[in-house]
Amino acid sequence: MKGWTGQLLRINLTTKNATPEAYSKDFALQFVGGRGFAAKILWDEVPRGTDPLSPGNKFIAAAGPLSGLSMPNVGKTVVAAKSPLTGMYGDGNLGTHFGSQLRRSGFDLVVIEGKAEDPCYVLIEDSDVSILDADYLWGIGAFEAEQKLEDRHGKNIGTLMIGQGGENLVKYAVVRSMMGRAGGRPGMGTVMGSKNLKALVAKGSRTPEIADVSAFRQLGRDGFKDIREKPGYDHWMTQGTMLIHAWCQEYSVLPSYNFKEGQFEHADALNGDTMESMKEKTRGCPSCTMQCGHCIKDSEGKSAELDYENVALLGSNIGLRDLREVATLNRLADEYGLDTISLGNTIGFAMEASEKGILKEKLDWGDYQATRDLIQEIAFRKGPLGSMLAEGTHQVAKKLGKGTMDFAMQIKGLEVSGYDCHAAPGMALAFGVCSIGAHHKESWIITYEVDVGRETYDESKVDKIIELQRIRGGMFEQLVSCRFPWIEVGFDLEWYPKYFTAATGLKWKLDDFWSLADRVYSLVRAYAVREYNGEWDRTMDHPPARWFEHPLSCGPLTGATLDQDGYEKMLSWYYQKRGWDDRGIPKKKRLAEQGLDWVIPELEKVTTLE
Ligand code: PTT
Ligand code: SF4
């Protein structure tokens, strides 16, 4: 098998055993890498009802068949586990040398099981695996921990680590790497923390074997050149994801005041131009010519990286108007390893609950110092408020009651990313049916929707959502390659089957990747249905009540809300096109067509299938 190493590394932290395992060719062909590998293993090996924070959960870091090869933007790794935030399959995709160093050690993925008795970290050096004492790392932030690991194991290592948020089991703790990369929104860092696992380090010396070395080398060179010559490339390099900020304000989708509004009166102070005027450097993932991490000096004089999502959720969504202060909050989230999107949502929710007198603590919109303190309280679970907010908005709203669920901006437990949908039914549906909760990563339909007409509830929008899910939530997550070359500068999708063929020798077309994506979508959905244990229905795919019931009160779209009937109509189309029943559960026939008949007996233990 060329392209893949054909090996996974299984590490049990309870027994301290590390075992290399050959995986089958069928596993490689059916699931390819990244999300596909992780979903299949979690389905097979983490039994229904497993507590996500128990030793029975598994933490997986998975590369793909292109990881570590000389081509654009493959310096990423998928981290996955059963999520403590949603109770379903969860994952994220972050920039790191870890995946390529793991492959250079001879493995495509690592599966961590059990729980260490004391804080530890794992060092993988080719086939040598050590479980080491993490006493000197536990309790410190992700930046410092990374520095210490580099001091000890050298500069060119691949690392995945957690901050104090993961250690203290904040439910939305992420995995960190490279002094600025973060991934695994649905609590993948929390799962590491629950295993007393501070970090994973890999350094390898082998070169992954591929089918056609010279063709790959040429394609790699051509790909980098093509990206740099794209007409949008120079523009992208000025602000990266922050380019979208001004657009979001213009079209009333910029989350403001816990998604009450889609415009912010101080948006100019937070937008990409402001960021650009303060920019001190750029950084990003390995093997990337599009470095999108733009850093400014924060309000405490330290360097902090800004992305659109971070600025939207820790800026306008909590009523904060100073970009350097936003940058400080962003840096703290990075240091503690907390997901900025869930954090900004949770704080915005708490501010609104405080405004309404439901929370007794006083927490005003835009109060920087109170927010700064609160982030620390959340990371360390200090005090009743910090500890409560560490659970995420869904759990907090359940606890508080009094109608707070209506403005808890989450779907299936995962907080909504930075696009207000009062007047964007397509984007609302994209959040609603995203396989891991309300994330924009799978189907970012918002710019398309604004172009074609945001007031319509059309079947064509549903088709677009599925098309984007196949590309973004599918091919890029299985190949573990950054989607930005394609979506941001127009790098043609046809490059990817070419890279895949040169690596593996398999002559796949884009359609083969779409079938793969559909298979993994059905599997991840089946996983969710299984874990809901018979309680699953279509309301799980509903966005927060706020977008239906509380109209925008400012800007050109004042009065806008979503229409419930229109939404249901689109949701039904989505289910029909996916081959799922009207509860959103995959039908037997579709599962069988997708080669997933083996999930049927397990699903039938919790529900009836059509
Ligand atoms: C992603 C989510 C995003 S999506 C952002 S900003 W974005 C937030 N970034 C955080 C951060 O930073 N620090 C922190 N403590 N928490 C953060 N939470 C948020 O996490 C990221 C880029 C970005 S920047 C995006 S869109 C793209 N995402 C990709 C993806 O999901 N798949 C893929 N194949 N390619 C992608 N390319 C882009 O990568 P999650 P990164 Mg991230 C500081 O993983 O869990 O999906 O969360 O990986 O290396 O930081 O790159 O406007
Ligand atoms: Fe990483 Fe950004 Fe480059 Fe993608 S474009 S690989 S997220 S630095």
Side-chain angles (χ1 to χ4, degrees):
M1 224 171 28
K2 297 282 171 58
W4 292 276
T5 67
Q7 296 277 320
L8 67 81
L9 177 63
R10 190 179 289 282
I11 301 174
N12 189 308
L13 296 178
T14 309
T15 62
K16 299 191 169 64
N17 276 338
T19 334
E21 268 175 35
Y23 61 74
S24 69
K25 187 171 177 185
D26 193 50
F27 176 69
L29 296 181
Q30 292 286 305
F31 298 100
V32 173
R35 172 179 273 189
F37 278 177
K40 167 72 168 132
I41 289 178
L42 290 171
W43 174 275
D44 286 346
E45 299 187 13
V46 178
R48 171 162 56 94
T50 302
D51 175 352
L53 298 181
S54 72
N57 197 2
K58 304 202 178 188
F59 175 84
I60 297 171
L66 305 178
S67 303
L69 303 180
S70 178
M71 65 167 278
N73 301 56
V74 283
K76 293 224 160 219
T77 298
V78 166
V79 288
K82 181 175 179 186
S83 160
L85 194 61
T86 67
M88 312 184 299
Y89 169 86
D91 71 10
N93 191 326
L94 77 158
T96 171
H97 288 285
F98 185 82
S100 57
Q101 292 291 354
L102 185 70
R103 297 243 301 155
R104 289 168 66 85
S105 300
F107 307 102
D108 290 323
L109 66 158
V110 57
V111 181
I112 308 281
E113 318 177 332
K115 177 181 179 176
E117 219 165 281
D118 298 304
C120 72
Y121 71 102
V122 166
L123 175 66
I124 303 161
E125 290 178 287
D126 289 324
S127 37
D128 289 336
V129 181
S130 329
I131 301 174
L132 301 170
D133 191 342
D135 260 4
Y136 75 110
L137 301 172
W138 201 257
I140 64 175
F143 292 109
E144 199 185 339
E146 182 161 8
Q147 192 55 58
K148 283 187 192 282
L149 286 168
E150 278 189 10
D151 293 346
R152 188 138 172 190
H153 299 292
K155 264 232 151 302
N156 295 320
I157 52 175
T159 52
L160 298 175
M161 78 207 66
I162 55 171
Q164 297 95 332
E167 294 174 10
N168 296 318
L169 307 184
V170 178
K171 294 283 170 56
Y172 41 91
V174 283
V175 179
R176 291 287 325 281
S177 192
M178 297 189 74
M179 303 288 180
R181 312 280 91 199
R185 289 194 54 212
M188 302 302 100
T190 324
V191 176
M192 280 180 74
S194 74
K195 298 188 173 305
N196 272 333
L197 176 65
K198 180 73 180 181
L200 288 155
V201 178
K203 52 179 180 177
S205 59
R206 303 175 215 168
T207 309
E209 212 181 317
I210 61 170
D212 189 338
V213 176
S214 69
F216 202 98
R217 207 172 282 148
Q218 189 60 47
L219 277 169
R221 275 196 296 263
D222 293 349
F224 279 114
K225 184 164 174 289
D226 191 71
I227 290 173
R228 275 193 301 264
E229 288 174 355
K230 287 282 174 217
Y233 177 77
D234 290 339
H235 184 53
W236 165 260
M237 293 304 284
T238 58
Q239 298 179 9
T241 59
M242 285 292 288
L243 283 166
I244 198 75
H245 193 284
W247 182 92
C248 289
Q249 167 75 356
E250 183 178 352
Y251 290 98
S252 294
V253 294
L254 181 69
S256 305
Y257 302 105
N258 193 33
F259 289 83
K260 274 195 227 175
E261 309 297 343
Q263 284 194 334
F264 185 52
E265 62 277 27
H266 307 288
D268 290 354
L270 300 178
N271 69 16
D273 290 344
T274 306
M275 185 280 294
E276 202 182 343
S277 70
M278 298 175 175
K279 187 162 79 171
E280 55 162 8
K281 63 179 177 196
T282 314
R283 64 184 179 199
C285 312
S287 86
C288 174
T289 45
M290 294 174 58
Q291 304 282 294
C292 65
H294 294 266
C295 302
I296 66 166
K297 280 257 178 297
D298 68 24
S299 58
E300 298 175 3
K302 297 193 176 153
S303 186
E305 184 178 322
L306 295 172
D307 279 299
Y308 166 72
E309 301 294 329
N310 306 344
V311 175
L313 273 306
L314 291 171
S316 48
N317 198 52
I318 60 170
L320 190 59
R321 63 178 78 169
D322 181 314
L323 192 60
R324 292 195 198 275
E325 290 180 348
V326 173
T328 305
L329 303 184
N330 193 154
R331 175 177 52 78
L332 287 177
D334 284 350
E335 177 75 342
Y336 299 142
L338 301 176
D339 173 42
T340 49
I341 298 176
S342 289
L343 183 67
N345 265 287
T346 308
I347 294 169
F349 170 86
M351 286 176 169
E352 184 165 350
S354 170
E355 182 183 51
K356 290 185 156 71
I358 299 169
L359 265 189
K360 66 177 182 334
E361 289 86 349
K362 192 168 149 43
L363 192 58
D364 291 333
W365 297 111
D367 184 339
Y368 166 70
Q369 194 52 49
T371 306
R372 194 193 187 291
D373 295 344
L374 184 57
I375 291 177
Q376 205 177 21
E377 286 164 27
I378 292 172
F380 291 89
R381 282 185 177 269
K382 267 197 301 198
L385 185 60
S387 207
M388 181 170 76
L389 297 182
E391 294 296 308
T393 49
H394 186 233
Q395 290 307 320
V396 181
K398 260 171 121 172
K399 188 169 173 185
L400 291 177
K402 299 184 181 159
T404 51
M405 196 60 88
D406 285 7
F407 59 89
M409 300 307 290
Q410 55 76 39
I411 299 171
K412 300 191 262 297
L414 185 70
E415 285 76 9
V416 175
S417 17
Y419 308 93
D420 183 75
C421 294
H422 277 94
M427 190 66 220
L429 181 66
F431 279 135
V433 297
C434 172
S435 53
I436 58 168
H439 204 314
H440 64 292
K441 70 184 285 168
E442 296 182 355
S443 179
W444 187 72
I445 192 185
I446 187 73
T447 51
Y448 165 88
E449 180 163 42
V450 168
D451 277 353
V452 298
R454 52 203 300 182
E455 62 293 340
T456 57
Y457 293 74
D458 282 352
E459 197 171 344
S460 58
K461 288 187 183 174
V462 178
D463 289 331
K464 190 71 183 175
I465 286 172
I466 293 177
E467 178 193 327
L468 291 173
Q469 287 181 330
R470 286 176 172 157
I471 301 170
R472 297 164 62 108
M475 185 174 77
F476 285 119
E477 296 310 310
Q478 262 74 255
L479 291 178
V480 197
S481 177
C482 178
R483 62 174 182 258
F484 279 171
W486 160 70
I487 187 71
E488 301 295 351
V489 302
F491 188 57
D492 202 294
L493 285 179
E494 292 292 350
W495 283 92
Y496 293 93
K498 289 185 195 154
Y499 286 121
F500 184 76
T501 300
T504 64
L506 300 169
K507 295 196 167 41
W508 281 30
K509 300 266 181 285
L510 284 172
D511 277 346
D512 297 305
F513 286 99
W514 308 157
S515 305
L516 163 69
D518 290 347
R519 177 179 310 122
V520 177
Y521 262 84
S522 287
L523 177 59
V524 173
R525 172 52 63 117
Y527 193 98
V529 173
R530 181 178 84 167
E531 295 310 315
Y532 270 75
N533 208 7
E535 307 270 294
W536 186 274
D537 62 51
R538 61 191 285 140
T539 62
M540 304 303 166
D541 292 333
H542 281 182
R546 157 144 293 166
W547 287 335
F548 295 102
E549 291 167 12
H550 306 169
L552 290 174
S553 72
C554 73
L557 300 174
T558 298
T561 53
L562 291 181
D563 172 61
Q564 188 77 47
D565 293 343
Y567 185 85
E568 296 299 345
K569 199 170 60 172
M570 287 171 81
L571 185 58
S572 294
W573 279 322
Y574 178 83
Y575 291 159
Q576 281 157 21
K577 287 168 197 284
R578 282 241 166 259
W580 300 353
D581 68 19
D582 61 10
R583 299 166 298 168
I585 298 179
K587 294 185 184 175
K588 284 195 214 177
K589 183 166 174 282
R590 184 57 59 94
L591 288 168
E593 284 162 6
Q594 292 174 326
L596 296 175
D597 29 354
W598 39 270
V599 311
I600 295 172
E602 269 283 287
L603 276 184
E604 285 187 327
K605 288 183 191 160
V606 299
T607 190
T608 46
L609 296 185
E610 271 186 34

